[in-house]
């Protein structure tokens, strides 16, 4: 062997890529004929190169395919947008010729915008499609409501729009928030943001309705009290599930207990804030009456009492199970830690003996 294996192995990548000089090539080939170790390395290198090339080619083919699909979709999107212009122009002409003005044309325009935001936006955009589709369709839906309201000289726009925003927020806001660029602190509390937004819109909807019907005091009292009472339990559930770091059984137990008590006390608590309510509260509790429908006050109170007792018992049982599970986990962790400590100590002893 004329050459050192190290030198040959340095040359191998160049040799496999076919970019070394003819002289080097001859040297490498001569060495490979005689040295089995270098031959093996050369074989492995060759396989690696083939694999790498295949992966690279696969990526290129895939990205090219994706690009062509994207291009096709964008073209279809643009074509759809073009087609939407045809009825729009017809309506524009008809509106001017027949009505000598532009009025209901704006309704058609807003309706077409809504169609376009649902069809064209997801096809044409390359990134954040869901986010922009939702935003564009909500904006054009509001525009459509506004034009209809103005055209019919109505005054229902605020009710309709707050109802739409509230209703659409519940299923779609999580998708929007997920795509928004939030900071680290906000990013960890996305669910909180969604809850806050939805609660806000519930109240705005109530206010819009109240203003629309020029509501009296009874409306405000009833609406705000019942909405707040219902919202409270939703926030309670959210807070326990999202922020309490406990065993699942404990959380479920707290939720069952809390919800049962909350529901059982509902008539009594609502009666405080709503003097108009007829209130079959717990003060009518009457075990002798049993569940007799002829005495609705006692029937109601007895049912509420049963709900409270059942939920408290069930919740307590689940919390107890959860505490047991947590203790068992803690014990296991403790034993593991002790075993590790023991092993370390034993090893230390052995080392000392050896020394
Ligand atoms: Zn060698």
């Amino acid at each position: 062997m004329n050459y050192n294996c190290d030198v040959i192995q340095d040359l191998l990548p160049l040799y496999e890529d076919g970019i070394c000089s003819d002289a080097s090539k001859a040297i490498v080939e001569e060495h490979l004929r005689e040295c089995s170790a270098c031959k093996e390395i050369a074989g492995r290198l060759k396989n690696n190169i083939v694999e790498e090339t295949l992966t690279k080619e696969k990526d290129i083919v895939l990205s090219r395919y994706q690009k062509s699909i994207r291009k096709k979709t964008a073209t279809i999107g643009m074509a759809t947008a073009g087609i939407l212009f045809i009825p729009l122009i017809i309506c524009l002409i008809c509106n001017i010729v027949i009505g000598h003005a532009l009025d209901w044309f704006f309704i058609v325009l807003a309706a077409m915008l809504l169609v376009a935001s649902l069809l064209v936006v997801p096809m044409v955009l390359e990134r954040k499609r869901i986010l922009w589709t939702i935003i564009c369709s909500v904006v054009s839906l509001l525009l459509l409501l506004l034009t209809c309201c103005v055209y019919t000289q109505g005054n229902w726009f605020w009710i309709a729009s707050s109802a739409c925003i509230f209703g659409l927020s519940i299923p779609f806001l999580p998708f929007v928030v997920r795509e928004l660029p939030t900071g680290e602190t906000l990013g960890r509390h996305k669910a909180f943001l969604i809850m806050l937004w939805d609660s806000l819109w519930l109240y705005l909807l109530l206010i819009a309705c109240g203003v629309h019907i020029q509501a009296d005091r009874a409306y405000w009292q009833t609406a705000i009290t019942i909405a707040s009472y219902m919202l409270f339990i939703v926030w309670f559930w959210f807070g326990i599930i999202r922020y309490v770091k406990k065993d699942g059984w404990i959380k479920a137990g707290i939720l069952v207990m809390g919800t049962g008590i909350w529901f059982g006390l509902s008539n009594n608590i609502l009666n405080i804030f709503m003097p108009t309510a007829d209130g079959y509260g717990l003060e009518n509790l009457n075990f002798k009456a049993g569940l007799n429908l002829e005495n609705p006050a006692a029937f109601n109170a007895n049912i509420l009492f049963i709900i409270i007792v059942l939920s408290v018992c069930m919740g307590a049982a689940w919390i107890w199970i959860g505490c047991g599970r947590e203790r068992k986990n803690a014990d296991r962790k403790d034993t593991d830690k002790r075993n590790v400590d023991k092993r370390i100590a034993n090893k230390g002893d052995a080392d000392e003996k050896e020394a």
Side-chain angles (χ1 to χ4, degrees):
M1 262 180 269
N2 295 333
Y3 286 90
N4 186 303
C5 284
D6 286 343
V7 178
I8 298 300
Q9 282 166 20
D10 282 345
L11 278 175
L12 273 179
L14 299 178
Y15 170 76
E16 290 296 350
D17 282 341
I19 46 175
C20 60
S21 64
D22 285 343
S24 306
K25 196 176 156 191
I27 293 166
V28 171
E29 279 171 359
E30 194 196 328
H31 182 91
L32 287 183
R33 268 198 291 277
E34 295 163 5
C35 173
S36 59
C38 286
K39 200 173 175 186
E40 201 198 314
I41 292 174
R44 235 183 291 150
L45 206 59
K46 202 176 207 168
N47 282 343
N48 272 355
I49 289 170
V50 169
E51 229 165 75
E52 238 170 62
T53 322
L54 276 181
T55 331
K56 235 182 249 168
E57 255 169 38
K58 198 177 80 189
D59 287 348
I60 292 172
V61 169
L62 270 182
S63 86
R64 210 180 287 153
Y65 179 70
Q66 269 171 344
K67 236 183 236 168
S68 88
I69 291 268
R70 229 178 282 149
K71 214 170 164 189
K72 255 182 221 163
T73 325
T75 316
I76 296 172
M78 297 306 276
T80 317
I83 291 169
L84 288 179
F85 263 103
I86 299 172
L88 210 56
I89 291 169
I90 296 173
C91 287
L92 175 71
I93 296 169
C94 288
N95 200 190
I96 292 175
V97 170
I98 300 166
H100 302 289
L102 282 179
D103 37 37
W104 55 262
F105 166 74
F106 288 111
I107 297 180
V108 181
L109 177 65
M112 287 301 170
L113 279 180
L114 180 57
V115 177
S117 38
L118 286 171
L119 280 181
V120 179
V121 171
M123 283 202 264
V124 173
L125 280 187
E126 279 195 17
R127 252 170 248 174
K128 305 217 165 187
R129 285 193 210 147
I130 298 177
L131 176 73
W132 284 108
T133 307
I134 293 175
I135 290 178
C136 291
S137 20
V138 170
V139 170
S140 45
L141 179 64
L142 294 181
L143 207 61
L144 179 61
L145 288 175
L146 181 68
T147 46
C148 288
C149 193
V150 169
Y151 183 65
T152 58
Q153 294 175 333
N155 58 349
W156 43 264
F157 175 68
W158 295 112
I159 291 189
S161 55
S162 47
C164 275
I165 293 176
F166 177 52
L168 291 172
S169 292
I170 290 172
F172 293 122
L173 189 63
F175 296 102
V176 174
V177 169
R178 207 176 53 184
E179 304 246 327
L180 285 179
T182 44
E184 203 189 320
T185 331
L186 275 183
R188 258 185 282 130
H189 299 284
K190 281 180 193 151
F192 177 79
L193 287 180
I194 293 169
M195 287 284 294
L196 205 62
W197 171 275
D198 288 346
S199 309
L200 180 77
W201 278 98
L202 176 64
Y203 283 113
L204 285 177
L205 176 59
L206 287 178
I207 292 170
C209 291
V211 170
H212 184 73
I213 60 167
Q214 295 174 335
D216 57 358
R217 200 165 160 234
Y219 167 85
W220 294 109
Q221 243 174 349
T222 316
I224 301 294
T225 308
I226 294 186
S228 308
Y229 200 69
M230 300 305 275
L231 263 186
F232 173 78
I233 199 67
V234 179
W235 275 94
F236 170 70
W237 276 70
F238 166 72
I240 299 285
I241 293 173
R242 175 66 182 79
Y243 290 109
V244 173
K245 301 263 177 290
K246 285 276 172 199
D247 186 79
W249 283 86
I250 296 182
K251 286 201 216 180
I254 296 173
L255 290 182
V256 168
M257 208 186 264
T259 310
I261 295 173
W262 168 87
F263 188 74
L265 294 179
S266 56
N267 275 2
N268 288 80
I269 294 176
L270 290 176
N271 283 346
I272 299 172
F273 299 100
M274 288 162 42
T276 45
D278 44 9
Y280 292 144
L282 283 170
E283 67 278 0
N284 301 306
L285 205 60
N286 183 351
F287 292 125
K288 271 186 205 150
L291 296 177
N292 186 354
L293 274 174
E294 275 165 28
N295 184 352
F299 176 83
N300 225 43
N302 289 353
I303 289 273
L304 291 179
F305 181 74
I306 292 172
I307 289 173
I308 292 178
V309 171
L310 277 182
S311 57
V312 168
C313 292
M314 204 159 133
W318 288 6
I319 291 172
W320 184 70
I321 294 175
C323 287
R325 280 162 55 100
E326 276 198 344
R327 235 186 341 258
K328 213 186 269 173
N329 273 343
D331 283 352
R332 198 179 305 146
K333 257 184 219 157
D334 240 32
T335 329
D336 284 353
K337 200 176 164 276
R338 238 176 293 143
N339 284 343
V340 171
D341 285 349
K342 220 187 275 170
R343 230 171 286 151
I344 291 172
N346 285 345
K347 199 169 176 289
D349 285 350
D351 285 352
E352 245 170 57
K353 256 180 221 164
E354 236 168 70

